[in-house]
Amino acid sequence: MKRVFSGVKPTGHLTLGNYLGAVRQWAAADQHRADALFCVVDLHALTVDHDPARVRRLTRQAATVLLASGLDHRVCTVFVQSHVDEHARLSYLLECVATDGEMRRMIQYKEKAAREQRRGGSVRLSLLTYPVLMAADILAYGTEEVPVGDDQTQHVELARDLAMRFNQRYGQAFVVPRATRPKVAARVMNLQDPLSKMGKSDDAGPGIVHVLDDPDVVRRKVMRAVTDSGRDVVYDRASRPGVANLLEILAACTGGNPEALAGVYESYGVLKRETAEAVIEVLRPVRERHRELCADPGHVEGVLRDGAERARAMARPTVDAAYRAIGLLPAGADTGAPVLNAAR
């Protein structure tokens, strides 16, 4: 079976975009068709100013939502990134292969650094280098496929480049991965700003539907979604981004086609109501299962502990081999140096 790796960052509550664009696909297909690992990448949450207690809380919540969404620990490996030391070990080796120019060209770094500069501030060094840690997340496991949204494709390309460069310089150590993307709703947009992604970092935004939102909250957010000028319902991402976003969400929830659905509705109001109900229904079993798992925290802890053990066993041989290939002396090896007389 192919090896698949993907992860979620605990910087906010998981959103409808996370679920439709990634997590649901992981549960329905990826965990069954591949040797799959799904990780809460908590080390990535440290690249920005954060509250330690909140990171811990969101890490647990993210892991619980993944399990509630249908990831089966008996079928796949679910774990927390910081519980497996090989991620950080390999990240430094890859930093020694990556270049400063590559890091500064990464889109997310450029956008966030520019935003902070306009505010008169600066960003953490880890924000510059975290794409290398992401590459380590992928390469440590011999990953062949990485299910990602459009905005993460650049990071997978970096992982590919670093793997090939390392292999060429030091010998064959890594599998070269490739990105895979779902066909529909790969990128769910903000309901209030349909030109921006529905990101989980904007927790308080009225355009963000969270997986664990109550039905009334979901209904209110969808009904207040921004639409476009005109009255007819047309699927056109370029000129009608608000309506197109609603149609794509509805299609992802119901298994339909956005263009075909556009011909069904004569008003924005009806489209919003049916989209809201479809979202509520698709999230209902996840919310119910999440409540059950929260009532048994020991189960979630056990799943994460076992997952970390399995992940560690998979990653360690690859990372150890990379250490040897790049020229580092294995721990406990005979260095050939004279032994000092302790009595002296």
Side-chain angles (χ1 to χ4, degrees):
M1 298 178 71
K2 291 182 178 180
R3 179 70 53 80
V4 169
F5 176 95
S6 200
V8 294
K9 184 165 59 174
T11 51
H13 304 289
L14 293 182
T15 71
L16 176 68
N18 299 132
Y19 181 72
L20 294 180
V23 176
R24 185 174 64 169
Q25 174 72 15
W26 299 349
D30 291 335
Q31 68 172 335
H32 300 291
R33 69 177 180 82
D35 183 8
L37 300 99
F38 301 105
C39 180
V40 182
V41 287
D42 54 342
L43 294 176
H44 293 293
L46 311 185
T47 61
V48 296
D49 190 31
H50 64 277
D51 173 19
R54 185 170 186 269
V55 170
R56 284 190 290 269
R57 183 171 66 254
L58 289 175
T59 298
R60 177 183 291 275
Q61 183 188 88
T64 306
V65 169
L66 292 182
L67 297 175
S69 299
L71 292 185
D72 187 342
H73 67 283
R74 297 164 297 185
V75 175
C76 64
T77 302
V78 182
F79 67 106
V80 174
Q81 178 191 34
S82 63
H83 295 176
V84 181
D85 294 343
E86 279 63 30
H87 292 254
R89 289 180 62 209
L90 182 55
S91 182
Y92 181 72
L93 290 198
L94 296 178
E95 283 187 16
C96 297
V97 176
T99 67
D100 176 76
E102 284 176 314
M103 296 301 97
R104 295 187 186 279
R105 286 194 296 270
M106 302 302 288
I107 293 172
Q108 291 192 28
Y109 172 77
K110 290 170 64 177
E111 292 177 348
K112 292 181 180 179
R115 187 163 58 245
E116 286 301 316
Q117 189 175 28
R118 288 193 296 269
R119 296 173 179 171
S122 61
V123 297
R124 299 183 181 191
L125 177 62
S126 56
L127 184 65
L128 177 66
T129 60
Y130 94 90
V132 178
L133 175 58
M134 186 179 293
D137 299 338
I138 296 167
L139 299 181
Y141 297 99
T143 304
E144 295 167 273
E145 295 184 5
V146 188
V148 292
D150 293 337
D151 60 324
Q152 295 294 332
T153 302
Q154 187 184 35
H155 292 111
V156 181
E157 289 302 314
L158 176 67
R160 289 174 55 84
D161 291 343
L162 295 181
M164 290 187 287
R165 191 177 306 155
F166 191 103
N167 290 347
Q168 290 167 359
R169 291 180 181 176
Y170 305 113
Q172 194 69 28
F174 301 118
V175 173
V176 179
R178 66 183 181 91
T180 59
R181 288 178 292 278
K183 295 180 180 179
V184 178
R187 197 175 190 190
V188 177
M189 310 307 280
N190 189 303
L191 294 174
Q192 292 297 314
D193 180 10
L195 298 180
S196 300
K197 186 181 72 168
M198 186 181 285
K200 59 181 177 294
S201 298
D202 185 15
D203 280 344
I208 310 296
V209 174
H210 297 106
V211 172
L212 300 179
D213 277 346
D214 289 333
D216 287 344
V217 173
V218 173
R219 194 175 288 112
R220 182 168 62 251
K221 289 179 178 179
V222 176
M223 292 304 296
R224 293 178 179 174
V226 169
T227 49
D228 313 290
S229 60
R231 295 178 178 274
D232 53 328
V233 178
V234 177
Y235 180 69
D236 187 332
R237 170 57 73 181
S239 64
R240 301 281 187 90
V243 173
N245 189 37
L246 290 171
L247 288 168
E248 289 183 357
I249 292 171
L250 180 60
C253 291
T254 62
N257 177 279
E259 294 182 355
L261 287 170
V264 174
Y265 298 96
E266 297 182 355
S267 71
Y268 292 161
V270 176
L271 171 62
K272 287 181 176 181
R273 282 196 296 274
E274 297 208 6
T275 301
E277 296 308 315
V279 170
I280 290 168
E281 183 59 27
V282 83
L283 294 180
R284 179 186 55 77
V286 181
R287 293 178 64 250
E288 292 176 354
R289 179 58 178 154
H290 181 266
R291 282 197 297 270
E292 295 173 358
L293 290 170
C294 286
D296 186 11
H299 173 72
V300 176
E301 291 174 3
V303 168
L304 296 179
R305 184 174 54 250
D306 293 345
E309 290 178 1
R310 290 203 301 271
R312 196 175 301 117
M314 283 186 269
R316 183 163 293 169
T318 297
V319 177
D320 284 349
Y323 266 58
R324 290 191 298 270
I326 205 169
L328 298 178
L329 188 69
D334 183 358
T335 65
V339 178
L340 298 178
N341 187 337
R344 290 184 178 180

